[in-house]
Amino acid sequence: MLAFERAWPLAAALLVLVGLFLALSYAGLLLALPRLGRIIGVAAFGVAFLLVLVRGARWDWPDATAQLARLDRDSGARHQPASGLADALANASDDPATAQLLALHQQRLARAAAAIRLKPPRSALARLDPFALRAAVLLALVATAFVAGSQRDIRVAAAFDWRASFVPGPGFRVDAWLNPPLYTGRPPLLIKLRQGVTQTLAVPVHSQLVVQAAHAPHFEIVTDGGLAKQPVAAGAGAAPAKYLLQGDAHVSFSAGGVPLGAAAVHAIPDLPPTILLTAPPKANARGSLTLAYKTGDDYGVTGASATWSAPELPAALAHGRALDAPPQVSLPLPGTQGGLGETKATIDLSSSPYAGLRGTLVLHDNDAIGQSGQSQPLALRLPARPFSNPLARAMVEQRRNLLLDADHPARVGRAFEALSIAPEVFHTPSAAFAGMRYVVDALHHPRSDAELQRLGEFIWQMALNLEDGNIPQAERGLRAAQENLRKALERGASPAEIARLSQQLRQALNKFMAEMAKKAARDAGQTPPHQAQAAEQGRMITPKELRSMMDRMQKMAEAGDVAGAKRLLDQMQQILENLRTAKSTAPNAAQQQMDKAMGALDKLTRQQQALRDDTYREGQRRRPDEAARQGLGQRQNHLRDVLRQLQKLMPGQSGKAGKALDEAGKAMGEAEKALNGQGRAGQPGQSDDQGEGGNGGAAVDAQGKALQALRKGAQALAEAMAKGQGAAGGQGQEEGMAQQGQKPGQDPLGRDVGRYGKGDSTSRMHLDGVPAVERARRVLEELRRRLARPDLGPDERAYLQRLLRHQQ
């Protein structure tokens, strides 16, 4: 401790000298001196440092006397207990009394010395530095270090470089950094300049090196490798120097011949983007094409497209002069950061004259610097829009001949002249006849290729009107509304905009479905309500189902579930692309009878469920109500009679459906007997724990068995109908569903038939296809609704409360 107290003033003096030197260097004062002045300044600090060390060399290590004196001082006693232990008698007397007194004195000193506690070291700095100049040096060191910033090492090292003729003035500063391209999303990197140090950095290629120097005359930048200097605007004054990184490079900085630092820069290459098909292209019923693809890149893609080329033309057109090039369309990018990931797109190339021909499909994508990637070529036949009208089909064929063999328009003119012969015999619509005569006159004297292209578009629209009436216009509006909503979802539009675009899509959908219904009525000679009835049985999509999808999609978007909303939008688009109008076949009498029976069976199942609920509530009463119990028995008897009538409407159903309905009738009979007091629990009038005057518990059990049997019968009957076993014309229905990519026993959404199958309509919640969050919300609402009923018994109330606690 004594050694520390004596050495600390020496160490403090040395630290003050070092701090003062660093503060002056950080402030740039030493650099501002001429070369001789810097030498003198550094020498003065060196001499002062040596003087302090020389003075410290005369420092003596504390001896035993000094150590005992320090113990005496820390004891606070009037006498010197530590030093007194070493005292001895001045004379060598053998007087026993004197010796005894000395022994007693030393015992007291020993006790006092044992109680001594050393105090902390005490510094002499306050006496040696009464004005606390050491604190001023520390404050100056911290302030100047902050001001110098990244130049601290350079300013200290330059003070010792006496070879340089460069003398920086006050405010000297050099900053250098690398700016990666914006599309990479990477932050700038600062180059830390240290004399004699080469910093290693890795940045994307095409990054920009920016160097800004202030108050630095004779400043020099030396580059080697892939750094290209960029021009500076005239009159820019002290504009920073800029370099474009094109490959690995090395850069060094110096001022007045003094090296300030260097950097070795590695250029990270920008790889070309990639794109590939994740599933085979799917041709839709309305002539469009659905592509599923995946984009990839190290930073992001800016665009994608699909090119169809190398068409295999018919022999008659192989050497003709084509007015239209093979189609090329842009593709939407995934709605993720940088447009990377998987997505689907539905493109309509049915209006191209190449529709129906084989060729090669290639997908392309591009990145921000213009690099391109492409998928593997795929041999593909472009889907063509189906035309059931023979005249429209002939028009489309002649349009292809006109646009792919423009040097022989007269042949097409003769073909249209032949098509317009005897319109009254072939029942050619007057508008189509007038259009064909216009084409004939126009092809007699064609003036230019542009006129032929306009004529080709006119023929296409005429064929669409013959085939679909006003459907093409409604279809274009529907597709535009779908695309607008899709783009809004991808860019994260506001809920108000999503609601507005959803309403526009809803209106376009209603218009499209109305036009489809009108065409179906015209083609089949039936009214649109029949189409709705056929759709209701799961063989066609209904406007109600589409509106339900629209509602769920809008709720998802408003709740922030963009992925779910886009998934539903894609699903709805796929359905609409494969939507066909109904054939002109009307259901026969047997099918209508089975449809009627299935509807009645569904109604019977709901009524049996309601009766079972009422029976259970009646059984929970403390006092039995005989009138109410008799009423329940009468209701059960009525439902059993209804089931017998239904079985008469379904002749030949002796398989699974027939057996299940027989089991349902037997269970209904047991329930009726239990309600009338004739159950298995005892004799008439015998009571049980459910109340008196009837076996309520047995009735509820029997009614549950009846419900299970009814549902099993409905499911078996629906499966038989889906396979064509329960109604005539089933094979034709399966063929129609197969054309639309729909499996037997499924609805147009690809689900199992829901009304009479596994997801029968007796379920009060209807949760198929509903998101998990929405299902949970509906379950909680149903539990709370039932718990609020005043007629609940204590057992049922406790059960619902447990369910509610579990759900929460």
Side-chain angles (χ1 to χ4, degrees):
M1 188 176 296
L2 285 175
F4 176 77
E5 290 178 350
R6 294 185 180 185
W8 174 239
L10 175 63
L14 294 177
L15 291 175
V16 168
L17 282 175
V18 173
L20 182 60
F21 173 78
L22 291 177
L24 294 177
S25 298
Y26 290 162
L29 297 179
L30 291 180
L31 295 178
L33 295 175
R35 181 181 180 184
L36 182 59
R38 280 185 288 156
I39 295 175
I40 295 174
V42 173
F45 275 102
V47 170
F49 198 83
L50 289 175
L51 288 176
V52 175
L53 288 178
V54 169
R55 184 176 179 181
R58 296 180 298 178
W59 175 76
D60 297 327
W61 187 263
D63 57 9
T65 302
Q67 296 175 15
L68 293 175
R70 173 61 187 272
L71 290 174
D72 292 336
R73 185 172 67 248
D74 288 348
S75 68
R78 290 184 298 173
H79 304 288
Q80 298 177 347
S83 302
L85 288 174
D87 291 345
L89 291 175
N91 53 7
S93 174
D94 294 334
D95 183 16
T98 302
Q100 187 175 5
L101 288 174
L102 178 61
L104 290 174
H105 175 68
Q106 289 183 338
Q107 289 177 3
R108 287 196 299 268
L109 291 178
R111 288 194 297 270
I116 295 175
R117 295 293 180 267
L118 286 178
K119 295 182 179 179
R122 288 178 290 184
S123 173
L125 288 179
R127 176 174 54 82
L128 298 175
D129 183 18
F131 299 103
L133 295 179
R134 58 191 184 280
V137 173
L138 178 61
L139 179 61
L141 177 62
V142 173
T144 54
F146 179 78
V147 171
S150 61
Q151 302 293 321
R152 291 190 293 269
D153 295 344
I154 298 175
R155 296 186 181 189
V156 173
F160 294 93
D161 190 354
W162 302 327
R163 297 170 299 171
S165 59
F166 167 65
V167 180
F172 168 77
R173 185 178 182 87
V174 176
D175 295 300
W177 65 93
L178 288 158
N179 283 330
L182 291 177
Y183 64 84
T184 64
R186 294 195 175 190
L189 291 180
L190 182 66
I191 298 178
K192 300 178 180 179
L193 298 180
R194 293 185 179 89
Q195 190 173 17
V197 177
T198 300
Q199 185 179 1
T200 302
L201 300 170
V203 292
V205 69
H206 303 127
S207 295
Q208 188 182 57
L209 170 63
V210 183
V211 182
Q212 178 76 60
H215 301 282
H218 309 290
F219 178 70
E220 232 182 323
I221 304 173
V222 179
T223 62
D224 181 23
L227 276 174
K229 189 171 184 179
Q230 295 180 305
V232 179
K242 297 181 180 179
Y243 299 81
L244 184 64
L245 181 66
Q246 299 174 338
D248 292 351
H250 184 276
V251 58
S252 58
F253 309 92
S254 62
V258 179
L260 303 179
V265 184
H266 170 62
I268 303 174
D270 190 340
L271 301 178
T274 60
I275 187 170
L276 54 91
L277 288 165
T278 58
K282 181 180 179 182
N284 300 313
R286 304 189 64 79
S288 59
L289 184 67
T290 298
L291 301 175
Y293 50 94
K294 179 180 181 180
T295 60
D297 190 54
D298 37 13
Y299 300 114
V301 295
T302 58
S305 61
T307 302
W308 185 87
S309 59
E312 299 178 4
L313 297 173
L317 304 176
H319 304 289
R321 182 173 64 88
L323 296 182
D324 281 5
Q328 178 177 355
V329 295
S330 61
L331 298 176
L333 297 176
T336 57
Q337 181 70 26
L340 303 177
E342 297 186 15
T343 189
K344 288 184 179 181
T346 299
I347 57 178
D348 186 8
L349 302 176
S350 60
S351 61
S352 171
Y354 296 94
L357 300 179
R358 292 189 63 84
T360 302
L361 177 70
V362 179
L363 305 187
H364 303 266
D365 61 348
N366 306 302
D367 62 10
I369 61 174
Q371 297 184 112
S372 177
Q374 69 177 38
S375 65
Q376 292 293 330
L378 176 68
L380 175 72
R381 183 184 298 277
L382 274 187
R385 188 183 185 96
F387 286 89
S388 59
N389 187 296
L391 181 57
R393 190 163 54 246
M395 288 182 177
V396 172
E397 181 179 359
Q398 293 305 315
R399 170 181 177 262
R400 171 188 291 176
N401 296 338
L402 176 64
L403 295 179
L404 299 185
D405 189 11
D407 294 331
H408 302 89
R411 297 177 183 175
V412 179
R414 289 194 295 270
F416 269 93
E417 191 166 5
L419 291 174
S420 61
I421 293 176
E424 69 283 353
V425 176
F426 296 102
H427 304 286
T428 304
S430 57
F433 176 77
M436 287 189 292
R437 296 311 305 173
Y438 168 75
V439 172
V440 171
D441 295 339
L443 289 178
H444 280 164
H445 303 286
R447 290 174 291 184
S448 64
D449 289 349
E451 183 180 357
L452 291 179
Q453 287 179 319
R454 287 194 296 269
L455 199 59
E457 180 62 23
F458 175 78
I459 297 173
W460 175 254
Q461 293 299 329
M462 187 164 52
L464 289 181
N465 289 333
L466 270 175
E467 176 70 18
D468 292 332
N470 293 327
I471 289 181
Q473 182 178 359
E475 188 174 0
R476 286 195 298 271
L478 177 61
R479 286 177 174 168
Q482 288 173 336
E483 187 63 21
N484 292 337
L485 181 56
R486 184 189 309 279
K487 292 180 179 179
L489 290 173
E490 290 178 352
R491 70 171 185 271
S494 63
E497 184 177 1
I498 295 294
R500 178 177 60 81
L501 294 176
S502 299
Q503 182 62 27
Q504 292 180 0
L505 178 58
R506 197 186 306 273
Q507 294 172 357
L509 178 62
N510 292 337
K511 183 176 180 181
F512 176 76
M513 294 300 294
E515 294 297 334
M516 290 285 289
K518 290 179 183 178
K519 183 180 185 302
R522 289 195 303 269
D523 293 346
Q526 298 169 347
T527 59
H530 168 69
Q531 302 295 332
Q533 182 181 4
E536 189 176 321
Q537 294 169 4
R539 292 187 293 271
M540 291 178 61
I541 191 70
T542 64
K544 183 178 180 181
E545 287 178 301
L546 290 174
R547 284 194 294 269
S548 176
M549 293 181 68
M550 279 291 307
D551 294 337
R552 297 204 308 271
M553 180 179 62
Q554 186 171 352
K555 289 180 180 178
M556 287 181 178
E558 292 173 352
D561 186 5
V562 177
K566 287 181 61 179
R567 189 165 54 250
L568 270 183
L569 182 61
D570 292 339
Q571 186 180 20
M572 184 174 67
Q573 184 177 8
Q574 189 69 20
I575 291 172
L576 294 174
E577 291 294 338
N578 289 282
L579 192 63
R580 296 175 183 265
T581 53
K583 303 288 184 181
S584 58
T585 58
N588 54 30
Q591 180 179 351
Q592 291 179 350
Q593 185 179 12
M594 291 302 299
D595 291 344
K596 181 178 179 181
M598 290 296 288
L601 180 58
D602 180 56
K603 181 179 179 181
L604 174 62
T605 305
R606 292 196 302 270
Q607 291 176 343
Q608 182 64 56
Q609 177 68 56
L611 177 58
R612 184 174 184 267
D613 294 342
D614 294 342
T615 303
Y616 178 81
R617 285 194 295 270
E618 182 62 29
Q620 295 298 317
R621 295 178 180 273
R622 294 184 178 180
R623 294 185 178 181
D625 188 338
E626 294 297 334
R629 186 64 61 89
Q630 291 177 5
L632 294 174
Q634 293 175 359
R635 287 171 57 187
Q636 186 64 79
N637 182 46
H638 172 69
L639 294 182
R640 189 181 181 190
D641 292 339
V642 171
L643 178 60
R644 294 193 189 100
Q645 296 297 325
L646 281 177
Q647 289 178 301
K648 293 179 181 179
L649 289 175
M650 295 183 292
Q653 293 298 331
S654 58
K656 293 182 179 180
K659 292 180 180 179
L661 296 181
D662 290 341
E663 292 177 1
K666 182 178 178 181
M668 288 181 178
E670 293 177 359
E672 182 181 354
K673 291 180 181 179
L675 290 171
N676 293 329
Q678 301 174 4
R680 291 170 296 180
Q683 301 298 324
Q686 185 176 356
S687 62
D688 62 358
D689 58 349
Q690 299 288 340
E692 298 178 356
N695 195 343
V700 172
D701 292 341
Q703 289 169 344
K705 294 178 181 178
L707 275 174
Q708 293 179 359
L710 288 174
R711 290 168 180 165
K712 186 186 300 182
Q715 180 178 343
L717 190 59
E719 291 174 355
M721 292 180 65
K723 295 178 181 178
Q725 298 174 356
Q731 183 178 0
Q733 294 164 7
E734 291 187 9
E735 292 177 354
M737 290 189 292
Q739 292 177 357
Q740 303 181 27
Q742 180 182 340
K743 298 179 181 179
Q746 289 185 342
D747 65 5
L749 302 181
R751 303 172 301 191
D752 293 335
V753 174
R755 180 172 180 184
Y756 308 114
K758 296 179 180 180
D760 58 62
S761 62
T762 58
S763 174
R764 298 185 178 184
M765 303 297 290
H766 298 289
L767 299 180
D768 289 342
V770 179
V773 175
E774 180 68 12
R775 289 200 300 269
R777 184 186 64 81
R778 294 189 188 181
V779 168
L780 289 175
E781 289 179 355
E782 180 68 14
L783 290 176
R784 295 189 181 101
R785 185 188 66 80
R786 295 190 181 185
L787 192 60
R789 288 165 48 179
D791 55 348
L792 280 180
D795 293 339
E796 186 176 6
R797 184 178 299 277
Y799 173 72
L800 292 177
Q801 288 175 345
R802 287 196 301 272
L803 284 179
L804 191 59
R805 285 195 299 269
H806 178 70
Q807 289 290 333
Q808 293 176 340

